[in-house]
């Protein structure tokens, strides 16, 4: 069995499709139009999940910053407010960049661009997690005590700032520790999906996979002589 | 004055190239359900991209590029978006007789199983190269679709050929 024989089999099978009835063009067009319109409605600049989560958060933290008289508590409300504004903006930019990619580019070029975008997204997730620890943990506690009990927890418990320090240190340590765990953990531990997913995401396993695919694409271009000529999309 | 229809001619081109779309999906998806989902995804992406098609390249080149890009991204995606019933295109009703195509392509003859095994053993890019070879495209044409040189394509094909041969010898031994 060689490649030429396989090609003959392939072409024989292809000829079996010659008996297909013509496509119902009007129905196909109507179905695609309907589908595209639905997708446009569904894929706004933000996913509905994001709108439901971020909009109330922005309103809530905005209201808190506006009404809170104490400066350090306003600052504690400002951190998650900025985070809640920055994250959906970043998400929108990512989505727009992905949608702007012309699918008719030569395959290697487009796959490289998609993978580069994926790398950026994965880095963003990692940093969002790290910054999120600092932004959410202690400020949330301060805001909770202020809103529910009317208490300034920093004035009442000065060790809050120490707690903030520990929180930052924990965030910074989390990534190397998870990277080590992910690398040296026994196979049975790795098989546990939630742990593995979190460790993979934070330790950069996904990033490594994306990098490996990029490297593979670059190697593909290098092999066999001169780099391929880029052509404009059709 | 009436606006020009941005999708004029689209269904004619799809009608002419629907076999190609099915075969492309077959090369990337062994399971029928995945294959049908991929055919649907390719059709939708072609529809979206059609207004930007200026006809500078052949329609088949344009379809190959979009189809392969969608297929590779589809295969690489860790989690597939599950479509609900409302979002599924009624492909059979539209004249895309996928059940018949499946019946023809999911054969269990020795030749065909060898081909399926070969395709399954290749990575995404080599799968594209072998598909274009099976479809009878020259190394230059494949290079233009993939964005690689003809030499590169020929080198890759030789490796695939050698791999197939060593497998056949291994099987015979």
């Amino acid at each position: 069995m060689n490649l030429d024989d396989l090609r003959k089999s392939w072409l024989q099978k292809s000829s079996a499709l010659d008996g297909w009835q013509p496509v119902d063009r009007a129905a196909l067009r109507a179905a695609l139009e309907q589908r595209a319109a639905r997708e446009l409605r569904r894929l706004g600049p933000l996913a509905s999940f994001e709108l439901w989560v971020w909009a109330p958060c922005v309103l809530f933290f905005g209201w808190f910053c506006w009404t809170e008289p104490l400066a350090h508590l306003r600052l504690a409300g400002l951190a998650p407010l900025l985070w809640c504004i920055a994250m959906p903006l970043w998400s929108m930019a990512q989505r727009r960049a992905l949608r702007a990619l012309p699918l008719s580019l030569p395959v290697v070029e487009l796959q490289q661009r998609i993978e580069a975008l994926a790398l950026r997204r994965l880095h963003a997730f990692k940093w969002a997690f790290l910054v999120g620890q600092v932004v959410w943990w202690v400020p949330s506690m301060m805001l909770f005590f202020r809103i529910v009990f009317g208490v300034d927890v920093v004035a009442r418990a000065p060790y809050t700032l120490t707690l903030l320090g520990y929180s930052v240190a924990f965030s910074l340590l989390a990534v190397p520790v998870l990277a080590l765990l992910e690398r040296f953990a026994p196979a049975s531990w790795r098989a546990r999906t939630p742990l593995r997913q979190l460790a993979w995401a934070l330790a950069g396993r996904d990033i490594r996979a994306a990098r490996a695919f990029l490297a593979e694409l670059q190697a593909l271009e290098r092999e066999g002589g001169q780099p391929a000529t880029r052509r404009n999309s059709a | 004055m009436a606006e020009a229809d941005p999708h004029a001619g689209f269904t004619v081109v799809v009608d002419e190239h629907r076999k190609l779309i099915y075969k492309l999906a077959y090369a990337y998806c062994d399971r029928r359900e995945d294959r049908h989902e991929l055919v649907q995804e390719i059709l939708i992406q072609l529809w979206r991209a059609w207004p930007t098609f200026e006809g500078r390249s052949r329609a088949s080149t344009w379809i190959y590029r979009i189809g392969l890009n969608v297929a590779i991204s589809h295969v690489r995606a860790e989690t597939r978006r599950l479509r609900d019933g409302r979002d599924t295109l009624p492909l059979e009703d539209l004249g895309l007789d996928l059940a018949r195509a499946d019946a023809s392509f999911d054969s269990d003859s020795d030749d065909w199983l060898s081909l399926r095994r070969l395709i399954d053993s290749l990575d995404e890019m080599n799968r594209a190269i072998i598909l274009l070879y099976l479809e009878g495209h020259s190394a230059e044409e494949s290079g233009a679709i993939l964005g690689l040189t003809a030499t590169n394509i020929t080198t890759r094909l030789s490796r695939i050929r050698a791999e197939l041969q060593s497998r056949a010898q291994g099987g015979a031994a």
Side-chain angles (χ1 to χ4, degrees), chain A residues 1-11 13-33 35-36 38-39 42-43 99 102-111 114-115 200 206 209-210 213 216-217 219-234, chain B residues 5 7-8 10-12 14-15 18-19 22-23 26 40 43-45 47-48 52-54 56-57 62 65-66 68-70 72-73 76 78 81 83 86-87 89 94-95 97 100-101 104-105 107 111-112 115 118 123-125 130-131 133-136 144-149 151-152 155-157 159 161 164:
Chain A
M1 177 64 49
N2 62 40
L3 215 46
D4 296 326
D5 293 333
L6 293 181
R7 175 145 77 172
K8 274 181 207 149
S9 299
W10 179 265
L11 293 174
K13 288 281 180 196
S14 302
S15 62
L17 300 182
D18 288 340
W20 265 3
Q21 296 296 311
V23 165
D24 183 342
R25 291 178 183 170
L28 176 66
R29 189 191 163 101
L32 284 168
E33 254 169 14
R35 172 64 204 274
R38 217 166 29 221
E39 201 160 86
R42 196 164 52 86
L43 301 173
R99 279 192 217 150
L103 282 173
S104 55
L105 281 176
V107 177
V108 172
E109 185 175 346
L110 184 79
Q111 291 304 317
I114 290 177
E115 222 48 33
W200 277 22
D206 298 341
F213 186 56
E216 200 181 299
L217 291 170
L220 194 75
E221 279 187 308
R222 280 196 303 271
E223 277 176 24
Q226 298 298 309
T229 311
R230 294 277 183 235
R231 289 157 61 107
N232 289 331
S233 61
Chain B
D5 177 6
H7 287 96
F10 174 78
T11 49
V12 178
V14 166
D15 203 3
R18 63 201 156 132
K19 285 200 297 181
Y22 176 81
K23 286 187 277 184
Y26 177 83
Q40 181 174 309
L43 278 174
I44 291 160
Q45 296 305 333
W47 171 266
R48 288 177 63 185
T52 63
F53 177 60
E54 292 165 0
R56 281 198 296 235
S57 62
W62 180 77
R65 282 183 179 173
I66 293 183
L68 287 169
N69 277 318
V70 172
I72 291 171
S73 303
R76 282 185 62 73
E78 280 181 341
R81 271 181 303 152
R83 301 188 184 291
R86 288 169 306 148
D87 264 3
L89 288 175
L94 301 173
D97 193 355
R100 188 172 158 180
S104 165
F105 270 70
S107 152
D111 286 10
W112 199 252
L115 179 58
L118 171 70
D123 65 23
E124 299 96 338
M125 290 306 299
I130 199 76
L131 172 71
Y133 168 81
L134 292 171
E135 282 289 296
I145 292 166
L146 297 173
L148 295 169
T149 59
T151 324
N152 198 328
T155 310
R156 293 243 151 202
L157 273 174
R159 281 190 204 155
R161 212 181 283 271
L164 190 65

